[in-house]
């Protein structure tokens, strides 16, 4: 490209940028092409990698939003939906499975699902930074679908717990990878869509609620004395149907798009040529400009490749690499503070969310009975309505995150947590059936404003080279507290308002932590 062409290109880009400022509220806050506004650019951890990452971000912004990104939005959203689907199925069917198997530990399935998701988050999270994002994207849903179907044929409580655990292992990596893969292809002006993608989580809850409403009231036994496999097929139908649904989603993932490794992962691995090729392929397919060249990346210097050993087995036993990824999350004081607070946020929500959502059927049943609504049909109808209200929460959060009026991501989390806290306290004063349904719907809506924003914020503030590890540990801490909540649920009485008070107090702490977070991704580009 000669000088005149370059000058013309930059003049046109400047004019286009000026015209965007009227339509794009973030335009004045960005310095696209110079890197001054990259979120972690001021941390000066790896100068060569930072310089190359700026070029990659510039190129992604140059290409812009394409149909490729819409496909990623949906296909990664499938993972969100499956995670919430598997998590809630076990809580929905637990009561009926207990009538059939009469186990000694009533919350065993909750522990099983969280153990599976814990191992899945750690395994898929670390492997994402060591092996790559593509492997988990292609196989995790398939693994989950197989064991979800098999769980429906379980002959005993222990066997059911095992297959629930294995199903959750496959699904457990999706929250780690989905945001990572989508973010690493997104233009900076569209990063708010990461929050919006959490609506898929609510959609998964809605699907679980609809399955429960259709199967549990119609194909379930009423008491343990007369409960057999023949007259208690409802909970098994839920597993079969859900497994088939997840299997279809896993097939769509590998047929609709042939995912290549994200350019930012390739860059961190020292594979500059492959990173350029991925971006040029997208630009060529959708007829978009792409001025990035391999020479530009090489001119920045040589990135230290983290993995020099060959062979897949060696890369799966990389204690040194795991340590380097953890250290990378604490490379500076500010990054270390950010990582600590983000992980602490996941720890808090990991206790508050299961105490409410996982035990919500118990709350609805106990409150419904006290209001004269003891019908299983009413209970599961209310459950489906409640989960419907969880879908628009992240949608609203997505628009709040991209507005100065709500102080970006951190402000959205503070607002979401405080409003949720208010509704939790109000829920303890419910006196009628209508109030019961109304307040649970309001809680689900507001809770997902905070939850959806936290999901998006977490990968945005981690460096790309260590993003999978940071996400994996965050989700892992969340799952550990889910196990704790199951133990609490077994030892305490979840039919009283006490767990609701605990949840409300936890959301106050979450709001304080959100306000103390050092990075604000609003108008900034992630690494």
């Amino acid at each position: 490209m000669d000088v005149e062409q370059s000058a013309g290109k930059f003049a046109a880009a400047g004019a286009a940028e000026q015209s965007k400022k009227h339509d794009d509220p973030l335009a004045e806050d960005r310095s696209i092409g110079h890197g001054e506004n990259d979120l972690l650019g001021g941390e000066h951890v790896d100068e060569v990698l930072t310089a190359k990452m700026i070029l990659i971000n510039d190129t992604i912004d140059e290409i812009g939003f394409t149909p490729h990104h819409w496909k990623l939005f949906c296909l990664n959203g499938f993972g969100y939906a499956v995670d919430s689907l598997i998590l809630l199925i076990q809580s929905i069917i637990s009561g009926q499975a207990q009538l059939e198997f009469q186990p000694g530990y009533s919350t065993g399935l909750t522990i099983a699902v969280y153990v599976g998701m814990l191992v899945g988050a750690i395994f898929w999270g670390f492997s994402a930074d060591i092996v790559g994002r593509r492997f988990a994207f292609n196989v995790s849903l398939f693994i989950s679908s197989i064991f979800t179907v098999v769980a429906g044929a379980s002959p005993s409580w222990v066997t059911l717990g095992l297959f629930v655990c294995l199903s959750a292992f496959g699904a457990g990596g999706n929250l780690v990878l989905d945001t990572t893969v989508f973010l690493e292809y997104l233009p900076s002006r569209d990063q708010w869509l990461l929050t919006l993608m959490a609506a898929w989580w609510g959609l998964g809850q809605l699907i679980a609620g609809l399955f429960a409403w259709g199967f549990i009231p119609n194909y379930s036994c009423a008491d343990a004395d007369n409960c057999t496999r023949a007259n208690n097929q409802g909970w098994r139908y839920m597993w079969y149907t859900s497994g088939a649904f997840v299997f279809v989603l896993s097939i769509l993932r590998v047929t609709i798009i042939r995912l290549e490794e994200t350019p930012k992962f390739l860059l961190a691995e020292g594979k500059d040529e492959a990173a350029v090729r991925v971006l040029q392929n997208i630009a060529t397919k959708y007829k978009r400009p792409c001025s990035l060249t391999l020479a530009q990346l090489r001119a920045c210097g040589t990135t230290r490749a983290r993995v020099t050993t060959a062979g897949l087995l060696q890369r799966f036993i990389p204690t040194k690499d795991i340590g380097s990824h953890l250290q990378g999350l604490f490379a500076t004081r500010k990054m270390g503070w950010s990582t600590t607070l983000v992980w602490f946020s996941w720890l808090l929500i990991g206790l508050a969310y299961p105490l409410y959502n996982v035990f919500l059927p118990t709350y609805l049943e106990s409150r419904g009975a006290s209001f004269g609504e003891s019908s299983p049909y009413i209970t599961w109808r209310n459950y489906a309505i409640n989960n419907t209200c969880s879908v628009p929460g992240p949608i609203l959060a997505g628009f709040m995150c991209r507005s100065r009026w709500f102080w970006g991501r951190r402000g959205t989390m503070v607002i979401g947590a405080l409003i949720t806290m208010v509704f939790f306290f109000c829920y303890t004063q419910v006196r009628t059936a209508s109030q019961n349904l109304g307040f649970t719907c309001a809680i689900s809506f507001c809770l997902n404003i905070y939850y959806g924003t936290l999901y998006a914020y977490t990968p945005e503030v981690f460096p790309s080279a260590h993003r999978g590890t940071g996400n994996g540990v965050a989700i892992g801490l969340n799952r550990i507290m889910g196990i704790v909540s199951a133990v609490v649920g077994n030892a305490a009485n979840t039919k009283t308002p006490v767990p609701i008070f605990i949840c409300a107090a936890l959301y106050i702490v979450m709001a304080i932590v959100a306000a103390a977070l050092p990075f604000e991704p609003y108008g900034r580009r992630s690494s």
Side-chain angles (χ1 to χ4, degrees):
M1 179 180 292
D2 58 30
V3 176
E4 292 182 0
Q5 288 176 318
S6 299
K9 176 186 172 183
F10 285 113
E17 188 65 27
Q18 289 297 321
S19 66
K20 283 180 183 177
K21 289 184 179 180
H22 299 288
D23 302 320
D24 182 7
L26 305 184
E28 294 180 359
D29 291 337
R30 289 197 304 268
S31 301
I32 301 301
H34 298 88
E36 293 93 338
N37 225 33
D38 282 35
L39 188 62
L40 301 180
E43 299 306 300
H44 305 295
V45 177
D46 185 332
E47 298 293 345
V48 173
L49 183 58
T50 299
K52 291 185 176 184
M53 201 64 71
I54 290 172
L55 290 174
I56 291 292
N57 276 332
D58 290 345
T59 305
I60 292 174
D61 286 335
E62 180 185 22
I63 294 173
F65 199 84
T66 69
H68 180 79
H69 295 92
W70 280 122
K71 292 177 183 178
L72 287 176
F73 178 80
C74 294
L75 296 175
N76 284 293
F78 292 167
Y80 263 44
V82 170
D83 187 285
S84 62
L85 178 70
I86 300 301
L87 179 62
L88 291 190
I89 285 179
Q90 61 80 24
S91 67
I92 291 169
I93 64 92
S94 179
Q96 290 305 132
Q98 287 179 54
L99 290 179
E100 184 175 330
F101 296 132
Q102 301 183 34
Y105 201 81
S106 60
T107 58
L109 293 189
T110 303
I111 294 176
V113 77
Y114 275 106
V115 168
M117 288 189 167
L118 167 62
V119 177
I122 298 299
F123 175 82
W124 299 114
F126 281 109
S127 70
D129 284 340
I130 298 169
V131 178
R133 283 72 157 126
R134 182 183 180 186
F135 175 71
F137 180 87
N138 287 336
V139 306
S140 58
L141 286 190
F142 178 75
I143 292 173
S144 181
S145 68
I146 297 301
F147 290 111
T148 301
V149 172
V150 174
S154 300
S156 68
W157 181 256
V158 174
T159 307
L160 176 59
L162 172 63
F163 289 129
V164 167
C165 183
L166 293 172
S167 174
F169 167 77
N174 285 285
L175 294 187
V176 179
L177 267 297
D178 294 333
T179 51
T180 297
V181 170
F182 190 48
L183 175 63
E184 293 186 356
Y185 278 104
L186 266 181
S188 59
R189 71 191 305 268
D190 298 303
Q191 282 182 196
W192 67 277
L193 287 172
L194 207 62
T195 303
L196 184 64
M197 196 171 75
W200 287 94
W201 173 272
L203 185 61
Q205 290 181 306
L206 172 59
I207 292 171
L210 292 175
F211 284 168
W213 189 13
F215 290 126
I216 300 300
N218 299 315
Y219 303 98
S220 299
C221 58
D223 57 76
D225 294 334
N226 300 299
C227 194
T228 65
R229 179 164 181 165
N231 66 2
N232 194 37
Q233 288 287 317
W235 69 268
R236 297 180 186 273
Y237 291 158
M238 279 203 67
W239 283 115
Y240 296 145
T241 307
S242 300
F245 175 69
V246 177
F247 180 75
V248 171
L249 298 184
S250 70
I251 297 300
L252 292 177
R253 271 197 169 185
V254 296
T255 54
I256 290 180
I257 194 171
R258 296 298 177 89
L259 184 72
E260 297 185 82
E261 285 294 354
T262 67
K264 293 184 178 181
F265 171 79
L266 294 170
L267 203 65
E269 288 285 300
K271 299 177 180 179
D272 296 354
E273 185 175 358
V276 173
R277 185 176 63 251
V278 169
L279 291 173
Q280 288 179 343
N281 287 344
I282 295 174
T284 301
K285 182 175 181 179
Y286 298 103
K287 299 179 181 180
R288 300 295 178 88
C290 179
S291 58
L292 181 68
T293 65
L294 181 59
Q296 289 175 312
L297 291 179
R298 287 179 174 172
C300 297
T302 303
T303 304
R304 295 186 302 272
R306 297 189 314 276
V307 180
T308 57
T309 55
L312 188 62
L313 179 61
Q314 289 175 301
R315 298 183 69 170
F316 264 102
I317 317 176
T319 54
K320 184 177 179 181
D321 286 329
I322 291 175
S324 69
H325 286 303
L326 291 172
Q327 290 174 6
L329 298 169
F330 297 86
T332 66
R333 179 177 296 180
K334 190 174 181 180
M335 289 173 63
W337 178 239
S338 173
T339 298
T340 301
L341 290 181
V342 168
W343 285 354
F344 185 53
S345 298
W346 280 99
L347 203 69
L348 293 172
I349 194 70
L351 181 59
Y353 185 86
L355 276 179
Y356 175 69
N357 271 67
V358 173
F359 296 108
L360 183 59
T362 304
Y363 300 145
L364 289 173
E365 183 180 7
S366 60
R367 294 295 179 94
S370 64
F371 302 138
E373 292 184 335
S374 57
S375 165
Y377 178 87
I378 296 296
T379 297
W380 295 111
R381 183 207 65 181
N382 290 351
Y383 189 72
I385 294 173
N386 176 273
N387 285 324
T388 302
C389 295
S390 65
V391 177
I395 297 175
L396 176 61
F399 288 100
M400 290 172 66
C401 283
R402 68 191 303 265
S403 171
R404 285 194 183 94
W405 295 103
F406 300 101
W407 307 293
R409 274 67 155 169
R410 292 179 297 183
T412 301
M413 283 192 282
V414 171
I415 293 170
L418 291 179
I419 296 177
T420 304
M421 176 268 296
V422 170
F423 278 111
F424 267 126
F425 279 126
C426 291
Y427 186 48
T428 62
Q429 304 304 311
V430 163
R431 295 293 181 268
T432 69
S434 298
Q435 290 175 351
N436 183 41
L437 179 59
F439 277 106
T440 55
C441 288
I443 289 172
S444 288
F445 175 79
C446 297
L447 182 155
N448 279 281
I449 293 176
Y450 174 86
Y451 212 174
T453 309
L454 180 63
Y455 269 121
Y457 180 89
T458 301
E460 284 187 294
V461 298
F462 287 143
S464 178
H466 316 294
R467 184 168 285 136
T469 300
N471 270 3
V473 173
I475 305 299
L477 292 171
N478 177 274
R479 304 318 189 191
I480 289 173
M481 295 309 291
I483 297 172
V484 172
S485 74
V487 176
V488 171
N490 188 70
N493 184 2
T494 57
K495 296 182 179 181
T496 70
V498 174
I500 305 297
F501 279 117
I502 295 174
C503 290
L506 288 171
Y507 274 92
I508 297 176
V509 180
M510 286 182 225
I512 296 172
V513 173
L517 290 165
F519 291 115
E520 174 50 59
Y522 171 81
R524 311 289 295 278
R525 303 194 305 188
S526 296
S527 71

